[in-house]
Every structure is written in C-alpha cells, then in structure tokens.
Amino acid sequence: VLEDPADAMNAGAVLRSCDAFGVTETWFIHNGIQEGTSMRKHVESGRVFDLDSNKLQDSSASASRWVATRTFYSTEEALSELKKGGYYNAATCFTPQSTSLYKVDLTTDRLALWVGNEFAGLSDLAISAA
C-alpha cells in the first residue's frame, strides 16, 4: 500500500520491487484529491497518479503489466477494504513503538505492507492501524 506517493518514478520502482518479490497487487492511496487538500501538485490539480504515465512505465520496467493496482481516495477507504479482506497491516516507519522488521512475522497470506510519502512518511492513521 503506497500512501500518497509523490513521484511517479518512485512508484514505478516500488512496482518493480513488488514484481521481483512476487507481490500480486499494489494499492495507491491519494488522500485529499476530492477535498483539494493534498500535498502533491498532481493531486491538487485534480488528477490521480497516472498509472499509464511514461515515467511510471519506464521506471517500473514493465512490472506494471504484471502487478495489479487499485486506487483509493482516502486511507480510511483502503483500511476498510483491508479489514474486509482479513489483511494484516505492517507499517514501514520509525516510531518509539516500532518493532524491528527482523522481529515481525510477515509470513501471513494476507499482508498489507504500508509505505508512506517520500517527504512526510505515513499518516498517523496508517501507523495506528498497523
């Protein structure tokens, strides 16, 4: 789950990594697009992350053809879908309560690994759900 990615090339690189590790689906969350409160210029202009953009396609090295994507317009919406699907949420962040990646059991069949914005990281809501 990519929460508020800022750069298409970074998102493409994540898709490439997902493909390499056998991840079958990646979710993009675009908070604020409907409210006009997003921190990202492409969202503030009313456009979602263009999954067909040349930058994303080039940086994903065709992984975007093999990794399915879904788009959500709020973290709450994505969390609701994950809960319905029985997913285990793991957040990639550093907080005083963080557990080392090496101590977390990631062997579940339904894992949602959260990655935050390149500048602001994950939202408090995403962190608290993990």
Side-chain angles (χ1 to χ4, degrees), residues 21 88-95 97-107 111-115:
F21 284 98
Y88 171 77
N89 291 298
T92 56
C93 62
F94 294 104
T95 69
Q97 297 79 27
S98 293
T99 302
S100 169
L101 179 63
Y102 300 106
K103 295 181 180 180
V104 178
D105 181 9
L106 301 175
T107 60
L111 173 66
L113 183 62
W114 286 73
V115 178

Side-chain angles (χ1 to χ4, degrees), residues 12-115:
V14 170
L15 285 177
R16 193 172 60 243
S17 296
C18 288
D19 184 36
F21 284 98
V23 174
T24 58
E25 189 171 56
T26 301
W27 292 11
F28 290 93
I29 300 174
H30 301 292
N31 285 300
I33 191 169
Q34 294 169 332
E35 299 84 6
T37 58
S38 174
M39 68 179 103
R40 299 175 332 255
K41 291 178 184 177
H42 67 277
V43 173
E44 289 173 357
S45 68
R47 296 182 291 118
V48 298
F49 217 69
D50 183 2
L51 296 172
D52 294 320
S53 76
N54 288 337
K55 283 184 180 180
L56 185 105
Q57 294 297 321
D58 290 347
S59 63
S60 75
S62 80
S64 59
R65 285 190 254 161
W66 313 116
V67 179
T69 59
R70 290 185 65 184
T71 300
F72 294 88
Y73 297 100
S74 73
T75 298
E76 294 88 351
E77 180 186 11
L79 284 169
S80 176
E81 285 293 310
L82 291 168
K83 186 175 182 179
K84 286 181 205 173
Y87 282 85
Y88 171 77
N89 291 298
T92 56
C93 62
F94 294 104
T95 69
Q97 297 79 27
S98 293
T99 302
S100 169
L101 179 63
Y102 300 106
K103 295 181 180 180
V104 178
D105 181 9
L106 301 175
T107 60
T108 179
D109 289 337
R110 309 218 20 98
L111 173 66
L113 183 62
W114 286 73
V115 178

